[in-house]
């Protein structure tokens, strides 16, 4: 065996210098992201153009697939090998995880210049700051408690915009009875969870949402309120069609667009699909907060985190990028394309469309009332491990006949297991 | 050339020749030791560490293992792999044996039929999954076709039915591997001594009895090999599930392989992922090591 | 030649039933391929209205062209052609190098045995049976350290390493049947280690080279797990691109394009299988049964 | 000075000793046959001479040079293998010329040499064929050609005829014998067939269990065996081994042998001195079948014939001879009589013993008494 160990040592000697020979840095910024669909890519193009004006080259590093899963895997191997990109698109708790490992650049100076702590809502600052230092620049705020409705179908069936959960179910029933699909539903775990968090917020209220899904209180998770939420989810599910399993969100949106379904519960990125179909908000389709959740907003936000570097030029570029992203013009322009609202709370909504104007106002109000809360389905309520544990239970519930009591108990157990 | 110098030279050459083979084998062995056994050790260690998003070498004992066994999804994954493996192995073996026996009856177009039965094995699981996903799609595939042919009550929604989805994966997997098992059995059948069968015929045994009593018992080594190979394929199955159901609906078709992938790459739970991978290895090793041992120990030196 | 009993000529019925069963099975086995092929030549409208089993009313090549050159996978709408060539870039060096390793290993393990050669062989062989999940995490790191993460080069390395087990098995079992006296004769004739290998063993290794190449080609081409774990974006092999294409959506699912793309991914291995089916079977067999 | 000297050579594999110190010396032009049952170590010894197996202890000298640790290709030795070991991918010419090619002999010279050898072995028409296209006998010739072309100091043959059918084996045997005589080559030849050994050898080394039992000319080994093993192994049918009791009969020394119903007294004429010490003890007598015969066939000139009437148990005619079996000392004894001798099973017949050829062995040590 000494022979072998010598060979292994020898191999190490050959491979190590190879590993240390890091490639030279180009005078570009390299931005890892998973914005690969049309609207997203266009929105990102705004940043690219802004930087080009400032003479900064752009090396796009899009990693498609797996809703960012693949991108995170790539990012991990880049960082682990000591060769991180300039910046990366990231969500919620993932930003904290990277900061915790001391891999991120400090953006305090830019933040101070642009007064970020004043203009960004407190709930979002939880994720853009770590240990009192700024680690990320948010592009926008998306909210997930939206319902998208087919206006023509509502008119045809005589449905008013529902104000309460019961109204909402009644409207769905009307559509179902008339031979339409009540709820356009996409059967993927994150979509199940998106609907679930809407139901939890609607039935338990903002405090309960916070207690159960953000603070992950075990008693709240297995409380009667949670059981009731599962009951309501079960009832809601009777209004979806039977072929929803595995369906993508945009295919579900298409059901609404094509007059096949009445409503869809989905984040505001769904608006992009209506735009692409040439439909006008409040004329051809309607948008309203999920009944029962008015006053509160569950949000998520894409942010750009910058990785530590010793290259002064790269540092400068990083700061320029952060500054650009947080500039009022960019925030508006980006949200116009992305369907979101600006992350800054101090801008005029004039240039946004009807739905976004409404949404922006509601986000501001929710922020003032401390009812702006992170979305669980998108990693702004709990770390990835907990998030996925919730996905597991909710998806199992959706796809089986599990009773609500069991679901609540299992949910509490799974969250505990993932937390430890 | 003087006597002694020639001797020294020769022994140098002899030494070199004696070392060369080991030297040639060494890179492979080094690669295997590092990339297989080194990695196994590393992953095993990680399963006892606090690793989450990135490896973290803090020792936490069996913490990750107890989390693994407490996990809801892991329970589903184990149940699924058990159901999947059992059905897959049994169906492939029986169907493969049946086809091999039928083909062994001096069939006219044997070559062609054999080719047809075997071609799925040449396909990637991703292609197979894509094809079957489309084939079994309730909205457009088999179900719709049957409705159009007039059988309106026909219903086949297994692919999107959480209780049945795993069986659609079994169907596709059986479709893919049956031909291979058939080829193994066919080779086994062709290796059986014909005179023995003639003797049995002279003794007046009917054909089915000859198969049941004389031929099939002799195929025992083929059964063993088929089961080992199929079990190993089943536990490694990842591609087919990803392509057909993506682990869904919900997590109804999660198996250990997809479980591990998701925990490692999307859930920031590297410790649990490592533990699940080590568990899979242990199961396969329990199957393969005795098999390899008996194969290698054999009469060949 | 069949060794089993000829069925008595008196009754034709068993024969007819036998053929019927065989043909039904053949139809079942061919069905998915048939559906894939016909679907790939149909228009989307026809797919949604028509019968899955029917032949296309209007044959169209558009899905094939689209799958090859313009279907959107993620952000890029260049079809799967680039990924197809990625796979070729991976498969050629991976197959050649792993086969070479296997040939040398088989040669040493049969003709230049040393103490513990069985253990070494067992160690190498076990490597092809491990569930690859166990090496995903460290491999991702090593590729990162070597700066070949997310490259086709990285995948080539991975496929070589995990292909050695099977190629060694093939060559070892083949060279095992070569008389050792051949090596001794050559030694007396004055040939050394490499001369014996290149002049005497290798020229007589045609059949096993074919088997090994086919086996490795199919394995590497059909790989998905390594591809999806270690590459992304434009560096992915064709199987990963196919999966991304099929499972990512932009409005409507273009089933005809999906099927055409699946055919592209399937064609190389199918061609190999049809051209060299005999060797293909032999490869499958020697990968599993030896006794 | 001897040409090939095997000096106290030993071979160990781990704890087992396969060769326990072999000493053999032969002269230039000798045809040494190593013979013995399988597992006796004869092939190992041959491989050690070739350099294909290493030597654990002892020394090998060829033509005065120590070659114990010289690489096989440098020993100036050629070998013909049992399986012929023809390179499957090369033509016959390529096979024959490969050794010369490895020794960097220029091509024209090589071709000439190949042609010469092919002519000698009558395989000129086969030069372009591949081994797979040849018959067994042809392959055998090619294998010999490959050895001959090198014109080595020493030829080694490892059971070269064992894969041929009986008729071809006899023909090739003759041919090898002729080659040896014509080329005056020195040969070491391994076989388990004692007839091959007898016909081919100038020197025979009988081996058993890693030990040399006897080294000598075919005549020595046949008529003057060193021990019971050599006596039993060489010759077919093998030597009759008969239990007897040595007694002094006045001045005479005699051996008493039990017959079916009586006792037979055979006078001792060979090794009398040594056997004298065995008076009153049991020994084992050795008599070749041809030394027990009918009266007319007996060698009355050189031999000392002693006749006795014994019961005939079995008769086996072989055409040329008639083997008659009787019982002596409780064992079957083969007598070789002239064809046509009038004997009948169950009847008594006269047997003539050539006691001058009678040898005796110690029953305990199995060694020859002399």
């Amino acid at each position: 065996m000494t022979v072998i160990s010598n060979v292994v040592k020898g191999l190490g000697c050959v491979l190590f210098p190879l590993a240390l020979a890091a490639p030279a840095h180009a005078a570009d910024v390299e931005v890892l992201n998973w914005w690969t669909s049309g609207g997203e890519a266009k929105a990102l193009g705004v940043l690219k153009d802004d930087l080009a004006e400032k003479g900064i080259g752009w090396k796009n590093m899009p990693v498609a697939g797996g809703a960012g899963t693949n991108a995170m895997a790539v990012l991990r191997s880049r960082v682990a090998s000591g060769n991180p990109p300039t910046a990366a698109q990231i969500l919620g708790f993932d930003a904290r995880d990277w900061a915790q490992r001391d891999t991120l650049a400090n953006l305090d100076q830019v933040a101070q210049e642009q007064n970020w702590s004043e203009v960004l809502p407190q709930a979002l600052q939880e994720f853009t700051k770590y240990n009192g230092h700024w680690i990320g620049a948010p592009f926008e705020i998306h909210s997930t408690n939206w319902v998208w409705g087919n206006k023509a179908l509502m008119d045809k069936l005589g449905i008013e915009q529902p104000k309460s959960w019961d109204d909402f179910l009644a409207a769905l029933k009307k559509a179902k009875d008339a031979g339409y699909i009540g709820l356009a539903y996409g059967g993927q775990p994150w979509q199940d969870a998106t609907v679930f968090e809407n139901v939890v917020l609607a039935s338990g209220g903002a405090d309960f949402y916070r207690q159960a899904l953000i603070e992950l209180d075990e008693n709240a998770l297995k409380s009667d309120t949670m059981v009731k939420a599962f009951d309501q989810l079960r009832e809601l599910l009777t209004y979806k069609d039977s072929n929803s399993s595995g369906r993508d969100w945009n295919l579900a949106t298409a059901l609404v667009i094509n007059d096949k379904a009445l409503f869809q519960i989905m984040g505001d990125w769904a608006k992009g699909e209506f735009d692409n179909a040439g439909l006008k908000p409040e004329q051809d389709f309607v948008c309203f907060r999920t009944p029962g959740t008015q006053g509160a907003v569950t949000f998520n936000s894409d942010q750009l985190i910058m990785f530590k570097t010793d290259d002064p030029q790269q540092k400068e570029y990083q700061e320029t990028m952060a500054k650009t992203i947080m500039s009022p013009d960019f925030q508006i322009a980006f949200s116009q394309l992305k369907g979101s609202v600006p992350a800054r709370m101090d801008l005029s909504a004039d240039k946004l469309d009807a739905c976004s104007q409404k949404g922006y106002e509601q986000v501001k109000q929710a922020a003032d009332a401390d009812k702006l809360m992170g979305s669980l389905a998108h990693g702004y309520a709990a770390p990835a491990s907990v998030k996925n544990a919730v996905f597991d239970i909710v998806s199992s519930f959706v796809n089986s006949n599990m009773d609500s009591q069991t679901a609540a108990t299992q949910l509490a157990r799974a969250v505990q297991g993932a937390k430890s | 050339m003087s006597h002694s110098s020639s001797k020294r030279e020769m022994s140098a050459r002899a030494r070199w020749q004696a070392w060369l083979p080991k030297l040639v084998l060494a890179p492979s062995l080094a690669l295997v030791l590092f990339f297989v056994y080194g990695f196994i050790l590393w992953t095993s260690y990680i399963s006892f560490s606090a690793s989450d998003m990135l490896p973290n070498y803090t020792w936490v004992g069996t913490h990750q293992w107890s989390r693994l066994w407490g996990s809801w999804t892991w329970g589903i994954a184990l149940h699924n792999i058990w159901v999947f493996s059992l059905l897959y192995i049994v169906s492939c073996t029986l169907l493969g044996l049946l086809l091999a026996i039928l083909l062994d009856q001096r069939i006219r177009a044997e070559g062609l039929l054999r080719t047809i039965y075997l071609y799925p094995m040449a396909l990637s699981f991703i292609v197979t999954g894509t094809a079957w996903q489309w084939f079994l799609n309730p909205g457009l595939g088999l179900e719709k076709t049957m409705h159009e042919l007039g059988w309106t009550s026909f219903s086949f929604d297994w692919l999107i039915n959480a209780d049945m989805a795993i069986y659609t994966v079994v169907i596709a997997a059986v479709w893919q591997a049956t031909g291979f098992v058939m080829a193994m059995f066919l080779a086994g059948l062709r290796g059986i001594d014909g005179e023995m069968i003639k003797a049995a015929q002279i003794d007046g045994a009917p054909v089915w009895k000859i198969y049941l009593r004389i031929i099939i018992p002799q195929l025992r080594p083929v059964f063993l090999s088929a089961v080992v190979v199929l079990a190993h394929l089943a536990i490694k199955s990842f591609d087919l599930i990803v392509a057909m159901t993506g682990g869904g609906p919900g997590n109804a078709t999660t198996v250990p392989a997809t479980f591990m992938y998701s925990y490692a790459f999307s859930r920031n739970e590297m410790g649990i992922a490592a533990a699940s991978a080590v568990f899979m290895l242990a199961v396969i090793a329990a199957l393969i090591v005795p098999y390899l041992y008996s194969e290698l120990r054999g009469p060949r030196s | 030649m069949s060794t089993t009993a000829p069925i008595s000529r008196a009754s034709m019925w068993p024969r007819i039933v036998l053929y019927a069963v065989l043909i039904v099975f053949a139809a079942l086995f061919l069905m998915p391929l048939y559906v894939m092929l016909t679907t790939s030549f149909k228009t989307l409208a026809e797919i949604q209205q028509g019968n899955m089993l029917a032949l296309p009313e209007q044959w169209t090549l558009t899905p094939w062209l689209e799958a090859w050159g313009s279907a959107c996978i993620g952000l890029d709408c260049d079809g799967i052609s680039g990924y197809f060539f990625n796979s070729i870039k991976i498969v050629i060096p991976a197959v050649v190098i792993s086969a070479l390793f296997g040939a040398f290993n088989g040669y040493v393990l049969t003709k230049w045995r040393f103490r513990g050669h069985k253990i070494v062989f067992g160690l190498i062989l076990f490597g092809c049976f491990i569930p690859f999940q166990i090496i995903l995490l460290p491999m991702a790191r090593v590729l990162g350290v070597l700066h070949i993460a997310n490259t086709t080069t990285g995948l080539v390395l991975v496929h070589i390493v995990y292909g050695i087990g099977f190629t060694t098995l093939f060559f070892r079992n083949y060279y095992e049947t070569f008389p050792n006296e051949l090596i001794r004769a050559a030694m007396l004739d004055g040939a050394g280690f490499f001369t014996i290998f290149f002049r005497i063993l290798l020229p007589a290794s045609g059949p096993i080279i074919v088997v090994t190449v086919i086996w490795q080609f199919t394995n590497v081409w059909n790989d998905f797990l390594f591809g999806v774990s270690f590459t992304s974006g434009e560096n992915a092999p064709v199987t990963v691109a196919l999966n991304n294409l099929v499972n990512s959506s932009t409005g409507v699912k273009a089933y005809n394009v999906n099927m055409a793309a699946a055919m592209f991914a399937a064609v190389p291995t199918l061609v190999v299988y049809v051209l060299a089916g005999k060797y293909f079977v032999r490869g499958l067999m020697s990968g599993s049964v030896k006794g | 000075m001897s040409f090939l000297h095997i000096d106290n050579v030993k071979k160990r594999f781990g704890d087992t000793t396969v060769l326990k110190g072999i000493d053999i010396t032969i002269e230039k032009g000798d045809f040494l046959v190593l013979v013995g049952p399988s597992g006796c170590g004869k092939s190992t010894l041959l491989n050690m001479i070739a350099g294909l197996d290493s030597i654990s202890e002892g020394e090998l000298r060829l033509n005065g040079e120590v070659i114990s640790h010289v690489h096989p290709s440098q020993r100036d030795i050629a070998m013909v293998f049992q399986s012929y070991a023809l390179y499957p991918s090369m033509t016959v010419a390529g096979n024959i010329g490969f050794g010369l090619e490895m020794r960097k002999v220029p091509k024209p010279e090589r071709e000439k040499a190949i042609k010469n050898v092919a002519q000698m072995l009558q395989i000129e028409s086969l030069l372009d064929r591949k081994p797979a296209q040849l018959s067994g006998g042809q392959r055998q010739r090619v294998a010999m050609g490959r050895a001959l072309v090198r014109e080595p100091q020493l030829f080694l043959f490892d059971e070269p005829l064992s894969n041929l059918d009986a008729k071809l084996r006899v023909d090739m045997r003759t041919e090898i014998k002729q080659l040896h005589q014509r080329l005056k080559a020195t040969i070491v030849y391994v076989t388990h067939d004692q007839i091959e050994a007898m016909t081919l050898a100038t020197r025979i080394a009988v081996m058993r269990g890693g030990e040399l039992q006897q080294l000598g000319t075919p005549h020595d080994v046949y008529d003057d065996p060193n021990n019971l093993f050599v006596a039993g192994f060489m010759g077919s049918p093998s030597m009759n081994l008969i239990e007897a009791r040595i007694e002094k009969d006045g001045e005479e020394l005699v051996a008493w042998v039990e017959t079916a119903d009586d006792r037979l007294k055979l006078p001792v004429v060979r090794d009398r001195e040594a056997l004298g010490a065995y008076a009153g003890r049991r020994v084992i007598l050795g008599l070749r079948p041809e030394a027990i015969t009918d009266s007319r066939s007996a060698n009355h000139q050189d031999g000392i014939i002693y006749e006795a009437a014994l019961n005939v148990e079995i008769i086996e005619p072989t055409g040329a001879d008639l083997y008659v079996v009787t019982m002596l000392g409780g064992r079957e004894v083969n007598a070789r009589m002239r064809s046509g001798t009038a004997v009948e099973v169950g009847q008594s017949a006269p047997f003539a013993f050539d006691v001058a050829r009678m040898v005796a062995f110690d029953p305990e040590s199995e060694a020859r008494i002399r």
Side-chain angles (χ1 to χ4, degrees), chain A residues 19 36 41 63 74 80-81 248 250-251, chain C residues 74-75 141 144-145 147 232 249-251:
Chain A
T36 51
V63 181
V74 171
S81 62
D248 289 303
N250 52 351
L251 296 181
Chain C
L75 188 58
R141 261 174 89 67
V145 170
H147 287 288
S232 57
S249 55
T250 44

Side-chain angles (χ1 to χ4, degrees), chain D residues 1-78:
Chain D
M1 194 168 119
S2 59
F3 186 69
L4 174 69
H5 191 164
I6 301 165
D7 187 0
N8 193 29
V9 161
K10 293 183 183 172
K11 178 70 185 175
R12 280 185 290 269
F13 289 114
D15 289 338
T16 46
T17 306
V18 204
L19 287 179
K20 300 166 184 165
I22 305 290
D23 279 297
I24 296 175
T25 305
I26 58 170
E27 299 306 320
K28 199 171 169 71
D30 259 341
F31 195 127
L32 170 69
V33 174
L34 304 175
V35 68
S38 55
C40 71
K42 57 191 189 298
S43 286
T44 308
L45 182 59
L46 191 76
N47 283 335
M48 286 162 81
I49 299 170
L52 298 170
D53 278 343
S54 64
I55 293 171
S56 306
E57 212 175 291
E59 202 172 70
L60 277 173
R61 283 193 296 276
L62 181 63
N63 205 7
E65 265 193 75
V66 178
I67 56 162
S68 312
H69 299 288
V70 173
H71 192 266
S73 60
Q74 310 292 323
R75 290 189 182 192
D76 203 6
I77 280 172

